[in-house]
Amino acid sequence: MKPIVTVRCPGSCGELFQGFIEKEEYLVTLPINRYTTLKIYKHDSLDLPDFKKMKQAYSLTCVFFNIPEENLPKIKVVRHSDIPLSKGMSSSTADIVAMIYGVTYCLNKKITEREVIKICCQIEKTDSIALSQLSVMAPSSGNILFQTTWTPKCHLLIFEGRQNLDTSDFHAFRNEEIVRKQGGIYCELVNEFKKSTCIQSISEIGKIATKSSFLNQIILPKPYFQDIHLFGKKYGAVGTMVAHSGTVVGLLFNYNHPRINNLIKVLRLNSAITKKYPKIYLTETVEGGVSITSF
C-alpha cells in the first residue's frame, strides 16, 4: 500500500553558534544530509510512533487548525531516521517538524514555516532546520533575528561518541550565569555572521563556529575537543563546530577538499580519539526545510 504522503526533514551537526544576544538566546543550525522521513498512510485508527514529542506535534497541529475531536485524522505514521538520537543533531526537531507538515497535509491545510516553528516551541526548545533559509533564531520563542538566502556548501566530518544527552536535561543543569556573561561576545558573532553571509565566505563561517565551540567548552566540555580541533587545523578544516546542548563534534571543510576522503583513515591511527568517538563519518550541508512527496 502506498502512503498518502512522505515528509522528510534534515538533521544537523549542532550549531554554527548558540548564545545570548541581549536578553534572549539565539542559534544558527546548519542542516546536513541526515534525515527523518515519515511515511503516512490512511488507517482505521490513529497509529503513531512511540515518541512523546511526535504525539504532541500531532495534537498541537490539530489544535492549531481547530479540528474537532470527531474529525481528527486517522492515520498510520511510519518513521525512519538516520539522525542519531540524543546527540544534539536535531533528531527530535526533525521528528516534530515532519509530523506537523504530515498532519497539515492530511488535513488539506496550509502552514507557514514560522507557524511550524511556533508549534515546535510549544513542545521544546527548537532548532532552525525547519526553515528553508539559514537563520539566526531564538530556540525558545522562534523569533528570527536574521535570515540569508545563502546555503554554505561544505563537508562536515562528524565525531559521534557513545554518550547521550537529552537537550531538556542539559538546559535544566547548565550554568545560566556563564551563558549570559558570554552575551557580549555573541552580539559580535552575529554581526560577523551577517558579514560572512554577505560575502558568502565559508572560511569566515568556520571562524565563527570555532569561536562559539570554544566558548561552549566552558559550559558543556567535549572530550578530546582540542585534539580534534588541532587535527582539523592540520588537515585544512575551516572550522570546528559542536552541539551546544549535545555531545557531537564536527570539523567543517570546504566542499570536495582534496584530503577529505582520507581523513577517517588517518583518524583510525589515533586510538584515543576513536575510542571516545567510535563513529566518525562524512556528511555535507543541505538546504533547510522539509520536502513533501504526495501520492
Side-chain angles (χ1 to χ4, degrees):
M1 182 173 64
K2 282 187 177 180
I4 54 178
V5 67
T6 298
V7 186
R8 189 175 76 161
C9 185
S12 72
C13 175
E15 298 78 28
L16 283 174
F17 66 83
Q18 181 173 344
F20 272 82
I21 301 165
E22 295 181 352
K23 295 183 179 180
E24 192 165 15
E25 187 177 29
Y26 285 86
L27 54 74
V28 177
T29 309
L30 192 60
I32 60 172
N33 60 339
R34 288 289 183 109
Y35 299 94
T36 285
T37 302
L38 301 185
K39 291 185 177 182
I40 302 180
Y41 302 83
K42 286 184 179 179
H43 204 51
D44 54 7
S45 61
L46 183 60
D47 186 357
L48 302 179
D50 193 21
F51 287 82
K52 179 182 177 182
K53 293 173 184 178
M54 293 182 73
K55 293 177 180 179
Q56 288 177 289
Y58 172 92
S59 299
L60 287 171
T61 306
C62 293
V63 169
F64 177 81
F65 289 113
N66 296 311
I67 306 300
E69 187 172 347
E70 61 271 18
N71 292 336
L72 295 180
K74 294 178 180 179
I75 53 176
K76 178 178 181 178
V77 179
V78 177
R79 174 188 180 274
H80 171 77
S81 183
D82 59 2
I83 308 171
L85 296 172
S86 301
K87 304 292 184 183
M89 297 180 71
S90 306
S91 61
S92 60
T93 298
D95 287 346
I96 293 165
V97 169
M99 179 64 82
I100 293 169
Y101 275 104
V103 174
T104 299
Y105 179 89
C106 293
L107 292 170
N108 198 26
K109 301 286 187 180
K110 302 292 184 184
I111 195 167
T112 67
E113 288 184 343
R114 295 198 182 208
E115 288 169 336
V116 169
I117 289 294
K118 294 295 183 182
I119 295 174
C120 290
C121 289
Q122 293 180 59
I123 300 171
E124 66 171 9
K125 289 190 175 186
T126 196
D127 298 311
S128 57
I129 53 170
L131 301 169
S132 54
Q133 295 183 342
L134 200 61
S135 305
V136 181
M137 190 198 81
S140 294
S141 66
N143 292 336
I144 296 172
L145 191 64
F146 173 77
Q147 286 187 303
T148 175
T149 56
W150 177 53
T151 300
K153 189 66 173 173
C154 320
H155 270 122
L156 277 159
L157 191 63
I158 308 291
F159 295 75
E160 182 191 331
R162 293 185 175 88
Q163 185 180 0
N164 293 337
L165 178 61
D166 187 272
T167 302
S168 57
D169 291 339
F170 163 72
H171 286 292
F173 69 70
R174 75 172 177 177
N175 190 319
E176 294 292 329
E177 184 180 352
I178 294 175
V179 173
R180 291 179 185 276
K181 280 182 178 178
Q182 295 177 345
I185 302 172
Y186 278 100
C187 287
E188 296 175 9
L189 285 184
V190 168
N191 290 328
E192 291 176 21
F193 177 72
K194 291 178 180 178
K195 291 175 184 176
S196 69
T197 60
C198 287
I199 61 175
Q200 298 189 358
S201 172
I202 290 172
S203 62
E204 291 302 312
I205 288 285
K207 290 176 185 176
I208 293 164
T210 301
K211 289 178 184 177
S212 190
S213 64
F214 269 89
L215 289 169
N216 189 250
Q217 276 296 99
I218 303 169
I219 299 162
L220 184 61
K222 309 293 190 288
Y224 293 98
F225 171 82
Q226 187 71 20
D227 299 77
I228 293 171
H229 173 69
L230 292 175
F231 175 87
K233 287 188 71 174
K234 181 178 179 180
Y235 288 96
V238 297
T240 305
M241 60 189 297
V242 298
H244 289 66
S245 56
T247 60
V248 75
V249 181
L251 291 174
L252 194 63
F253 289 87
N254 284 308
Y255 193 72
N256 283 336
H257 184 280
R259 294 180 174 179
I260 196 74
N261 291 315
N262 294 322
L263 293 182
I264 296 176
K265 293 179 183 177
V266 176
L267 277 165
R268 294 299 174 199
L269 302 176
N270 189 323
S271 59
I273 291 178
T274 54
K275 186 176 181 180
K276 201 68 180 179
Y277 297 92
K279 294 183 180 179
I280 302 173
Y281 46 90
L282 194 63
T283 66
E284 61 185 71
T285 55
V286 296
E287 290 187 359
V290 301
S291 60
I292 300 173
T293 305
S294 56
F295 298 90

